[in-house]
Amino acid sequence: MTFKLFSAALIAAMGGLLFGFDTAVISGAEGTLESLYGLNSFWHGVLVSSALIGTVIGAMVVGIPADALGRRKVLFGIAVFYFVSAVGSALAWDSYSFMFFRFLGGLAVGGASVVSPMYTAEISPARFRGRLVALTQFNIVLGILLAFLSNYLIAQCNLGEIEWRWMFGVEAFPAFAFFFLLVLTPRSPRWLISKGRVDEARGVFESLGAIDTDTVDEEIEEIQASLDLAHHSMREPFFRKAYLKPILLVVAIAMFNQLSGINALMYYAVRIFKMTGATGDVALLSSVAVGFTNLVFTMAALLIIDHFGRKRLMLVGSIGYIISLSVTAWAFFAFGAQTLGKDGKTMETVLSDPGGTIVLISLLVFIASHAFGQGAVIWVFISEIFPNRLRARGQALGSSTHWIMAAAISTTFPMFAEASGGFTFAFYAACMVLQLGWVIFIMPETKGVPLEKIQQEMGIE
C-alpha cells in the first residue's frame, strides 16, 4: 500500500470523523435544550433528530452531484456545510434557527455517509479495500469519542448557559481542516473513466499504485467493460429487476444497522446512563467509555476485515447484539421503576442496584459488538456490491435507508423509553435475531473480490 493511497483514503475518511462528531455531540446538550425550550418527550425527540431530516435528504440526493461533478468536489461542499452548521448551531437564537443549522449539518452527514466510503472504494485495490473503506467507520467512531470527550471537557469548564453552544461550535475546527486537506487528494479514477477522461485516470492509478490487475491498462479495460456505456447509460433506471439483489441487500443491512438501537444510544447516551443512576459528570464520563470501547473494537475489526471477511464479522457482532440487548432488557424489567420526573409531569425510568451496573456493562458489550460487526462492515459492504455505473445511486439508497431508520429510532426512543425501557431493548434484541438469520442465509461474502468481479457475481451484466 502506497503512502499516497493511504493518505487519500484517510483524508476522505475525515468526512466520517465529522459525521461521528455531529451525530454524537448532541448527547451532551439534549437535556439542556429540552429545558431551554420547554419540550415534551415527543417534541424533544423531534428536536434531537432534526439533523436526521437533513441527513436523509443529503443521502438521497448526493448521488446526483457525485456523478455529475465528481466525488472530490462534493467532499469540498460537504466540508463547507459542516463548518456553517457548527458555527450556526453554536450561535442559534431560538429553537427554529437551531434546527435549521442542525439540518445543514445533517445534509453534510448524509452526503459524507455516501461519498466518503464510495470515493475510498473506487481508489482502492481489492486486497486493501476493506481496511481503507473501514477507515471511514474508524473516523466515525473516533468522531463519536471526540464528541463525548469534548462534551465532558467543556462541562468541566463551568461555562454556564453558553456551555451547550461551545459543545456544537468546536466542530468548526476539524471542518475547516477537512476542507483544506482535500486539496491533497486525487479525483476518483473510476469516475474519471466514466467521464471519458482515461489519461487522467491512468495517472491517478499510477500515482496511487491501486490496481488489481497486472497493468494499469488492463485495469482500465476491466472498468470500461463494467461501465459498458455502449449498452448502459449512467442515468438508466435504477429500480429494475436486474438490480434487485444488490438493492435488497443494501436496504436490509441499512435497516438492521439502526434496528439494533445504535443511534438511540449515540443520541441519548447521557440520558440512558442517568437512568442507571449515574449523575452529571459521571453520566458524561460513562458516554466517553462508550466512545472509547467503540474505537477499540472498530480498530480490531479494521485490522482483520480483509482476512476474516465481512460475513464473519457480522456473525460475531449479531450474537453479541442479541446477548447484550437481551440482558439490558432483563435488567430494566427486573430493576427498573417508574418515578415522576423533575418537571413533575413526565415519568422517568430509574434502575436500582445492581441494575445500573448490569446495564452499563451490557451496553459496553453492545457497543463492542456493533463496532466489531455492523459498524465496521456496513459502509464497506454498501460501497462494494453495485456496479460502477450505479455505485453513487446504490450508496445513496443504502445511506438514505440507514438515516430514515435512524430518524425513526431517534424520534421514538424518548417516548418508548419513558413508557418501558425493558420493552424497548427487547424489541431491538428481537430485530437482531432476524439480522443473524439474514447474515447466515442471505448475506454474500465480498472479501478480496475486485469491484468489477462482484458485479459479475451479482449476476449483473
Side-chain angles (χ1 to χ4, degrees), residues 130-182:
R131 276 168 284 179
L132 290 176
V133 176
L135 281 174
T136 297
Q137 179 62 20
F138 173 80
N139 270 18
I140 290 171
V141 300
L142 178 59
I144 291 169
L145 174 60
L146 291 175
F148 287 149
L149 186 60
S150 173
N151 287 348
Y152 174 74
L153 294 175
I154 289 171
Q156 304 311 300
C157 296
N158 298 315
L159 299 173
E161 294 181 357
I162 64 169
E163 180 177 284
W164 69 271
R165 296 184 183 276
W166 277 100
M167 289 180 175
F168 290 102
V170 295
E171 186 181 350
F173 296 103
F176 185 82
F178 180 40
F179 182 89
F180 286 99
L181 285 171
L182 282 168

Side-chain angles (χ1 to χ4, degrees), residues 142-363:
L142 178 59
I144 291 169
L145 174 60
L146 291 175
F148 287 149
L149 186 60
S150 173
N151 287 348
Y152 174 74
L153 294 175
I154 289 171
Q156 304 311 300
C157 296
N158 298 315
L159 299 173
E161 294 181 357
I162 64 169
E163 180 177 284
W164 69 271
R165 296 184 183 276
W166 277 100
M167 289 180 175
F168 290 102
V170 295
E171 186 181 350
F173 296 103
F176 185 82
F178 180 40
F179 182 89
F180 286 99
L181 285 171
L182 282 168
V183 174
L184 304 176
T185 61
R187 291 182 174 87
S188 162
R190 286 175 167 82
W191 177 80
L192 288 169
I193 292 171
S194 74
K195 298 299 180 182
R197 297 159 65 174
V198 176
D199 289 339
E200 289 181 66
R202 181 179 288 106
V204 173
F205 275 130
E206 289 173 347
S207 67
L208 295 178
I211 59 174
D212 291 305
T213 55
D214 293 332
T215 66
V216 171
D217 286 337
E218 188 178 345
E219 186 84 7
I220 290 172
E221 288 175 6
E222 288 199 3
I223 294 169
Q224 288 174 323
S226 75
L227 289 166
D228 191 19
L229 296 183
H231 301 93
H232 299 278
S233 166
M234 290 288 286
R235 304 309 310 165
E236 69 176 310
F238 179 73
F239 292 101
R240 298 174 51 192
K241 185 177 180 180
Y243 309 135
L244 183 61
K245 186 174 181 179
I247 286 172
L248 292 179
L249 286 170
V250 300
V251 169
I253 196 170
M255 289 183 67
F256 281 130
N257 182 281
Q258 288 302 305
L259 287 171
S260 68
I262 183 61
N263 264 39
L265 179 58
M266 290 299 115
Y267 285 132
Y268 299 101
V270 175
R271 176 175 296 241
I272 292 170
F273 289 124
K274 285 182 178 179
M275 292 166 66
T276 69
T279 58
D281 291 348
V282 176
L284 283 168
L285 201 54
S286 297
S287 67
V288 174
V290 166
F292 182 74
T293 302
N294 201 3
L295 183 69
V296 169
F297 281 87
T298 297
M299 289 175 64
L302 186 150
L303 291 173
I304 66 172
I305 189 171
D306 283 320
H307 303 290
F308 202 58
R310 289 60 158 153
K311 189 164 182 171
R312 287 183 180 177
L313 290 181
M314 286 287 290
L315 183 63
V316 172
S318 297
I319 294 171
Y321 272 148
I322 294 166
I323 294 170
S324 58
L325 288 168
S326 297
V327 172
T328 300
W330 169 78
F332 272 96
F333 284 128
F335 302 102
Q338 292 274 298
T339 62
L340 199 61
K342 292 180 180 179
D343 59 6
K345 298 176 182 179
T346 58
M347 298 298 292
E348 293 180 353
T349 301
V350 178
L351 289 152
S352 60
D353 290 333
T357 302
I358 292 171
V359 168
L360 174 59
I361 294 171
S362 295
L363 289 180

Side-chain angles (χ1 to χ4, degrees), residues 54-56 58-60 62 78 82 105-115 399 403:
T55 303
V56 171
M60 291 177 68
V62 76
I78 287 170
Y82 274 131
L107 290 175
V109 170
S113 69
V114 173
V115 181
S399 297
W403 291 116

